[in-house]
Amino acid sequence: MHDHPPFEIIGGDPALGLVILADHATNLLPEEYGRLGLPESAFSRHIAYDIGVEATVRGLCERLGAPAVLSRFSRLLIDPNRGEDDPTLIMRISDGAIVPGNHPISEAEWRRRLETYHRPYHDAVARTIAASASAGGRAPLVISLHSFTPAWKGVARPWQAAVLWDSDPRAVRPLLAELEALGLTVGDNEPYDGALRGDTMFRHCMVTGIPHALIEIRQDEIGDAAGITCWVERLAPILDRLNRREDLHEYEIFPSRTGPY
Protein backbone atom coordinates (compact mmCIF):
# COMPACT_ATOMS: atom_id res chain seq x y z
CA MET A 1 0.00 0.00 0.00
CA HIS A 2 1.40 3.40 -0.95
CA ASP A 3 1.65 6.20 1.62
CA HIS A 4 -0.74 8.57 -0.14
CA PRO A 5 -4.33 7.26 0.10
CA PRO A 6 -6.21 8.07 -3.12
CA PHE A 7 -9.56 8.54 -1.38
CA GLU A 8 -11.24 9.22 1.93
CA ILE A 9 -14.53 7.73 2.98
CA ILE A 10 -16.57 9.77 5.43
CA GLY A 11 -18.59 7.34 7.46
CA GLY A 12 -22.34 7.64 7.61
CA ASP A 13 -25.47 5.54 7.74
CA PRO A 14 -25.56 3.47 4.54
CA ALA A 15 -29.23 2.66 5.12
CA LEU A 16 -30.02 6.37 4.79
CA GLY A 17 -29.93 5.87 1.03
CA LEU A 18 -27.90 8.99 0.24
CA VAL A 19 -24.30 9.00 -1.01
CA ILE A 20 -22.27 12.17 -1.60
CA LEU A 21 -19.23 12.33 -3.88
CA ALA A 22 -16.44 14.87 -4.31
CA ASP A 23 -14.26 14.02 -7.31
CA HIS A 24 -12.07 17.12 -7.01
CA ALA A 25 -12.04 17.60 -3.25
CA THR A 26 -8.34 18.32 -2.71
CA ASN A 27 -5.21 19.76 -4.32
CA LEU A 28 -2.92 17.15 -2.76
CA LEU A 29 -0.03 15.49 -4.56
CA PRO A 30 2.13 12.55 -3.49
CA GLU A 31 5.59 13.73 -2.44
CA GLU A 32 7.29 11.91 -5.29
CA TYR A 33 5.59 14.19 -7.86
CA GLY A 34 6.74 17.42 -6.25
CA ARG A 35 4.52 20.12 -7.72
CA LEU A 36 4.53 18.63 -11.25
CA GLY A 37 6.84 21.47 -12.25
CA LEU A 38 4.24 24.12 -11.43
CA PRO A 39 4.54 27.08 -9.05
CA GLU A 40 2.88 26.73 -5.67
CA SER A 41 0.31 29.34 -6.71
CA ALA A 42 -1.17 26.89 -9.24
CA PHE A 43 -2.46 24.77 -6.40
CA SER A 44 -4.73 27.50 -5.09
CA ARG A 45 -6.47 27.65 -8.48
CA HIS A 46 -9.38 25.72 -9.91
CA ILE A 47 -7.01 23.79 -12.16
CA ALA A 48 -5.85 21.84 -9.11
CA TYR A 49 -9.16 21.21 -7.31
CA ASP A 50 -12.72 22.39 -6.73
CA ILE A 51 -12.41 25.27 -4.29
CA GLY A 52 -14.74 25.04 -1.29
CA VAL A 53 -16.12 21.59 -2.04
CA GLU A 54 -14.30 19.55 0.60
CA ALA A 55 -15.55 21.64 3.52
CA THR A 56 -19.04 21.81 2.03
CA VAL A 57 -19.23 18.03 1.74
CA ARG A 58 -17.95 17.56 5.29
CA GLY A 59 -20.60 19.96 6.54
CA LEU A 60 -23.36 18.16 4.65
CA CYS A 61 -22.24 14.78 5.97
CA GLU A 62 -22.25 16.10 9.52
CA ARG A 63 -25.76 17.52 9.10
CA LEU A 64 -27.28 14.59 7.21
CA GLY A 65 -25.38 11.57 8.51
CA ALA A 66 -24.70 10.47 4.94
CA PRO A 67 -21.55 8.68 3.77
CA ALA A 68 -19.28 10.38 1.25
CA VAL A 69 -16.25 9.59 -0.88
CA LEU A 70 -13.63 12.29 -1.48
CA SER A 71 -10.63 12.10 -3.77
CA ARG A 72 -7.28 12.76 -2.07
CA PHE A 73 -5.27 13.78 -5.12
CA SER A 74 -5.25 16.82 -7.36
CA ARG A 75 -6.99 16.65 -10.69
CA LEU A 76 -3.62 17.77 -12.14
CA LEU A 77 -2.23 14.31 -11.34
CA ILE A 78 -5.13 12.49 -12.97
CA ASP A 79 -8.77 13.52 -13.20
CA PRO A 80 -11.15 11.09 -11.48
CA ASN A 81 -14.12 12.70 -13.24
CA ARG A 82 -12.94 11.50 -16.64
CA GLY A 83 -13.22 8.12 -18.29
CA GLU A 84 -10.09 6.06 -18.66
CA ASP A 85 -10.02 6.64 -22.40
CA ASP A 86 -10.65 10.40 -22.18
CA PRO A 87 -7.74 12.39 -23.69
CA THR A 88 -8.14 15.00 -20.90
CA LEU A 89 -7.62 12.39 -18.19
CA ILE A 90 -4.11 13.76 -17.56
CA MET A 91 -3.88 17.38 -18.60
CA ARG A 92 -0.78 18.73 -20.34
CA ILE A 93 -2.21 22.28 -20.37
CA SER A 94 -4.93 23.48 -18.01
CA ASP A 95 -6.45 26.95 -18.40
CA GLY A 96 -3.25 28.26 -19.94
CA ALA A 97 -0.92 26.58 -17.44
CA ILE A 98 1.54 24.12 -18.98
CA VAL A 99 2.03 21.14 -16.65
CA PRO A 100 5.68 20.05 -17.08
CA GLY A 101 5.22 16.91 -14.99
CA ASN A 102 2.56 15.65 -17.38
CA HIS A 103 4.36 16.20 -20.65
CA PRO A 104 5.96 14.13 -21.87
CA ILE A 105 4.42 11.20 -20.02
CA SER A 106 5.19 7.55 -20.67
CA GLU A 107 2.58 4.85 -21.14
CA ALA A 108 3.90 3.20 -17.99
CA GLU A 109 3.40 6.35 -15.92
CA TRP A 110 -0.05 6.90 -17.41
CA ARG A 111 -0.98 3.35 -16.42
CA ARG A 112 0.58 3.76 -12.97
CA ARG A 113 -1.56 6.80 -12.18
CA LEU A 114 -4.66 4.94 -13.34
CA GLU A 115 -3.90 1.92 -11.20
CA THR A 116 -2.69 3.81 -8.13
CA TYR A 117 -5.13 6.72 -7.93
CA HIS A 118 -7.98 6.75 -10.47
CA ARG A 119 -9.15 3.14 -10.17
CA PRO A 120 -8.92 2.90 -6.36
CA TYR A 121 -11.03 6.04 -6.05
CA HIS A 122 -13.71 4.60 -8.32
CA ASP A 123 -13.56 1.27 -6.53
CA ALA A 124 -14.27 3.15 -3.28
CA VAL A 125 -17.20 4.95 -4.92
CA ALA A 126 -18.62 1.66 -6.18
CA ARG A 127 -18.25 0.00 -2.76
CA THR A 128 -19.93 2.90 -0.97
CA ILE A 129 -22.86 2.96 -3.38
CA ALA A 130 -23.20 -0.83 -3.16
CA ALA A 131 -23.15 -0.70 0.66
CA SER A 132 -25.95 1.86 0.65
CA ALA A 133 -28.01 -0.16 -1.81
CA SER A 134 -27.54 -3.31 0.27
CA ALA A 135 -28.31 -1.67 3.61
CA GLY A 136 -31.41 0.10 2.36
CA GLY A 137 -32.63 -2.57 -0.01
CA ARG A 138 -33.20 0.00 -2.73
CA ALA A 139 -31.33 2.29 -5.10
CA PRO A 140 -29.46 5.07 -3.29
CA LEU A 141 -29.64 8.72 -4.32
CA VAL A 142 -26.18 9.87 -5.41
CA ILE A 143 -25.19 13.55 -5.29
CA SER A 144 -21.85 14.77 -6.65
CA LEU A 145 -20.51 18.19 -5.62
CA HIS A 146 -18.23 20.40 -7.72
CA SER A 147 -17.46 24.12 -8.01
CA PHE A 148 -16.83 26.45 -10.94
CA THR A 149 -15.00 29.74 -11.43
CA PRO A 150 -16.90 33.07 -11.17
CA ALA A 151 -15.67 34.06 -14.64
CA TRP A 152 -14.24 32.36 -17.72
CA LYS A 153 -11.98 34.12 -20.19
CA GLY A 154 -13.01 37.48 -18.75
CA VAL A 155 -16.77 36.83 -18.92
CA ALA A 156 -18.65 36.75 -15.61
CA ARG A 157 -20.81 33.73 -14.94
CA PRO A 158 -24.23 34.73 -13.58
CA TRP A 159 -25.17 31.38 -12.06
CA GLN A 160 -24.69 30.99 -8.32
CA ALA A 161 -25.04 27.25 -8.73
CA ALA A 162 -25.85 24.74 -11.42
CA VAL A 163 -27.21 21.25 -11.84
CA LEU A 164 -25.54 19.11 -14.48
CA TRP A 165 -27.10 15.99 -15.91
CA ASP A 166 -27.31 13.69 -18.90
CA SER A 167 -30.86 12.41 -19.49
CA ASP A 168 -32.12 11.07 -16.15
CA PRO A 169 -34.35 13.91 -14.83
CA ARG A 170 -35.63 12.27 -11.67
CA ALA A 171 -33.44 14.02 -9.09
CA VAL A 172 -32.60 16.97 -11.34
CA ARG A 173 -36.05 18.48 -11.78
CA PRO A 174 -36.97 18.68 -8.08
CA LEU A 175 -33.46 19.83 -7.22
CA LEU A 176 -33.61 22.68 -9.72
CA ALA A 177 -37.07 23.66 -8.43
CA GLU A 178 -35.85 23.69 -4.81
CA LEU A 179 -32.81 25.86 -5.62
CA GLU A 180 -34.80 28.28 -7.76
CA ALA A 181 -37.43 28.60 -5.02
CA LEU A 182 -34.69 30.12 -2.84
CA GLY A 183 -34.35 32.96 -5.36
CA LEU A 184 -30.99 31.71 -6.66
CA THR A 185 -29.78 32.04 -10.24
CA VAL A 186 -29.29 28.40 -11.18
CA GLY A 187 -27.85 26.92 -14.35
CA ASP A 188 -29.48 23.92 -15.98
CA ASN A 189 -26.48 22.25 -17.66
CA GLU A 190 -24.71 25.63 -17.51
CA PRO A 191 -21.85 26.52 -17.56
CA TYR A 192 -21.13 22.91 -18.55
CA ASP A 193 -23.08 20.10 -20.13
CA GLY A 194 -23.48 17.17 -17.77
CA ALA A 195 -23.47 14.51 -20.49
CA LEU A 196 -19.87 13.30 -20.36
CA ARG A 197 -19.22 9.73 -21.36
CA GLY A 198 -17.18 7.82 -18.80
CA ASP A 199 -17.34 10.44 -16.04
CA THR A 200 -18.29 9.56 -12.47
CA MET A 201 -22.04 10.01 -12.88
CA PHE A 202 -22.04 8.09 -16.17
CA ARG A 203 -19.99 5.24 -14.76
CA HIS A 204 -21.73 4.77 -11.41
CA CYS A 205 -25.27 6.02 -12.03
CA MET A 206 -26.30 6.29 -15.67
CA VAL A 207 -25.30 2.77 -16.65
CA THR A 208 -26.76 1.31 -13.45
CA GLY A 209 -30.03 3.27 -13.37
CA ILE A 210 -29.35 5.01 -10.04
CA PRO A 211 -31.01 8.42 -9.43
CA HIS A 212 -28.40 11.16 -9.27
CA ALA A 213 -27.47 14.78 -9.84
CA LEU A 214 -24.28 16.81 -10.04
CA ILE A 215 -24.35 20.13 -8.21
CA GLU A 216 -21.89 22.88 -9.17
CA ILE A 217 -21.50 25.88 -6.86
CA ARG A 218 -19.75 29.05 -7.97
CA GLN A 219 -16.46 29.28 -6.13
CA ASP A 220 -16.95 32.75 -4.69
CA GLU A 221 -20.12 31.44 -3.06
CA ILE A 222 -18.12 28.88 -1.03
CA GLY A 223 -14.76 30.66 -0.90
CA ASP A 224 -14.81 31.21 2.85
CA ALA A 225 -16.27 29.69 6.01
CA ALA A 226 -19.36 31.89 5.98
CA GLY A 227 -20.22 30.95 2.42
CA ILE A 228 -19.66 27.26 3.10
CA THR A 229 -21.93 27.39 6.15
CA CYS A 230 -24.59 29.17 4.11
CA TRP A 231 -24.55 26.52 1.40
CA VAL A 232 -24.55 23.64 3.88
CA GLU A 233 -27.64 25.17 5.49
CA ARG A 234 -29.26 25.57 2.06
CA LEU A 235 -28.47 22.17 0.68
CA ALA A 236 -28.91 19.92 3.72
CA PRO A 237 -32.72 20.28 3.97
CA ILE A 238 -33.09 20.09 0.19
CA LEU A 239 -31.11 16.86 -0.01
CA ASP A 240 -33.02 15.47 2.96
CA ARG A 241 -36.35 16.17 1.24
CA LEU A 242 -35.15 14.63 -2.03
CA ASN A 243 -33.86 11.59 -0.20
CA ARG A 244 -37.27 11.03 1.41
CA ARG A 245 -38.91 10.66 -2.01
CA GLU A 246 -39.60 7.03 -2.84
CA ASP A 247 -39.36 7.72 -6.57
CA LEU A 248 -35.70 8.68 -6.09
CA HIS A 249 -34.84 5.21 -4.81
CA GLU A 250 -35.79 3.15 -7.84
CA TYR A 251 -33.57 1.73 -10.54
CA GLU A 252 -34.35 2.94 -14.05
CA ILE A 253 -31.89 3.17 -16.93
CA PHE A 254 -32.15 6.15 -19.26
CA PRO A 255 -30.42 6.32 -22.66
CA SER A 256 -27.37 8.58 -22.55
CA ARG A 257 -27.08 11.59 -24.82
CA THR A 258 -23.47 10.50 -25.38
CA GLY A 259 -24.53 7.39 -27.29
CA PRO A 260 -25.45 3.78 -26.57
CA TYR A 261 -24.04 1.91 -23.59
Side-chain angles (χ1 to χ4, degrees):
M1 179 69 180
H2 52 83
D3 59 2
H4 185 95
F7 60 85
E8 177 186 353
I9 295 177
I10 297 176
D13 181 5
L16 187 66
L18 175 65
V19 175
I20 302 174
L21 306 178
D23 296 325
H24 302 141
T26 72
N27 58 2
L28 302 175
L29 282 177
E31 187 176 348
E32 66 186 290
Y33 288 99
R35 306 312 269 166
L36 291 171
L38 290 165
E40 187 62 33
S41 60
F43 290 85
S44 63
R45 297 180 58 203
H46 71 97
I47 63 172
Y49 73 125
D50 279 350
I51 294 166
V53 162
E54 179 182 5
T56 304
V57 169
R58 292 188 188 280
L60 287 170
C61 290
E62 184 176 350
R63 284 280 300 270
L64 296 167
V69 186
L70 293 76
S71 70
R72 300 296 294 169
F73 55 91
S74 171
R75 66 199 300 177
L76 289 170
L77 184 70
I78 188 168
D79 193 334
N81 196 36
R82 295 292 184 271
E84 292 192 7
D85 58 352
D86 192 311
T88 66
L89 182 65
I90 298 176
M91 295 290 286
R92 278 86 162 179
I93 302 176
S94 184
D95 192 14
I98 298 172
V99 188
N102 291 347
H103 184 70
I105 184 169
S106 68
E107 289 186 15
E109 174 59 23
W110 189 288
R111 185 169 58 253
R112 180 174 183 267
R113 294 188 196 183
L114 268 175
E115 294 173 351
T116 309
Y117 301 101
H118 192 277
R119 288 175 183 167
Y121 170 74
H122 282 284
D123 289 345
V125 170
R127 288 196 304 271
T128 303
I129 291 173
S132 181
S134 177
R138 56 185 186 162
L141 171 62
V142 178
I143 300 294
S144 180
L145 254 66
H146 291 252
S147 66
F148 63 94
T149 58
W152 183 250
K153 298 188 184 303
V155 179
R157 287 168 160 168
W159 313 282
Q160 293 165 276
V163 181
L164 308 188
W165 57 296
D166 186 339
S167 63
D168 181 349
R170 292 175 293 170
V172 171
R173 294 305 185 198
L175 178 56
L176 281 168
E178 288 262 18
L179 291 170
E180 289 168 350
L182 296 176
L184 299 169
T185 301
V186 185
D188 180 352
N189 271 333
E190 295 283 358
Y192 315 113
D193 188 341
L196 181 61
R197 193 170 190 84
D199 73 353
T200 301
M201 294 289 90
F202 180 94
R203 176 172 179 169
H204 295 283
C205 298
M206 284 295 293
V207 300
T208 57
I210 290 175
H212 62 282
L214 189 155
I215 301 172
E216 291 260 9
I217 305 172
R218 203 174 65 205
Q219 287 167 359
D220 60 320
E221 292 273 325
I222 51 174
D224 58 24
I228 288 164
T229 297
C230 177
W231 271 96
V232 169
E233 291 175 351
R234 280 173 176 161
L235 285 177
I238 291 174
L239 296 184
D240 180 59
R241 285 192 291 271
L242 263 61
N243 192 50
R244 293 176 185 275
R245 293 177 54 144
E246 290 300 322
D247 59 327
L248 296 185
H249 292 287
E250 299 174 356
Y251 292 95
E252 183 178 354
I253 294 177
F254 290 75
S256 172
R257 291 188 284 118
T258 68
Y261 298 124

